Amino acid sequence: GFFVAGSSIDDLNGIYVRTNRFVLPRHHVAMAYAHQEGGWTLALCATGGDDDDSSDYEDDTYEWRFIDAQRVDRFTHEGDTLIPGAGVRWSHATSGAVGDGHIPD
């Protein structure tokens, strides 16, 4: 798992543990880590689109995403890494981005 600290968003800080039973809308998740006490998720997601019919994601690139309890992408970290970066490597997720977890009302 991972320990996250230093965010001004208190619910984001804490311990994230590996989970294999996590489903996120419009994401192909390679690995997911659930916040031990809250609803946040740290996930390594394919950026190759939202084609649910494709089971071959070999050629996709991946990025880390922090997804909040309402399943909205909040932060992204570009790059194909097994360990997510820290600090300034993260940026705000843009609405409508590939893999955006926002579900309209």
Side-chain angles (χ1 to χ4, degrees):
F2 295 101
F3 176 72
V4 176
S7 174
S8 61
I9 302 171
D10 288 337
D11 291 341
L12 184 141
N13 295 321
I15 298 171
Y16 288 78
V17 294
R18 179 79 187 262
T19 179
N20 291 325
R21 55 189 182 116
F22 213 85
V23 176
L24 297 170
R26 293 187 245 169
H27 289 80
H28 175 267
V29 178
M31 292 188 289
Y33 296 83
H35 191 284
Q36 194 172 27
E37 295 177 7
W40 283 73
T41 303
L42 173 61
L44 183 63
C45 302
T47 61
D50 55 2
D51 181 5
D52 292 334
D53 296 334
S54 176
S55 60
D56 183 13
Y57 291 90
E58 254 181 49
D59 296 332
D60 285 347
T61 58
Y62 289 84
E63 68 183 2
W64 285 98
R65 292 183 167 268
F66 272 111
I67 302 161
D68 69 15
Q70 289 75 41
R71 301 294 172 250
V72 176
D73 293 357
R74 296 290 296 274
F75 302 100
T76 63
H77 173 278
E78 293 188 19
D80 294 324
T81 62
L82 291 177
I83 299 174
V88 296
R89 292 187 179 186
W90 288 90
S91 60
H92 289 274
T94 57
S95 180
V98 172
D100 182 16
H102 180 71
I103 300 172
D105 295 323

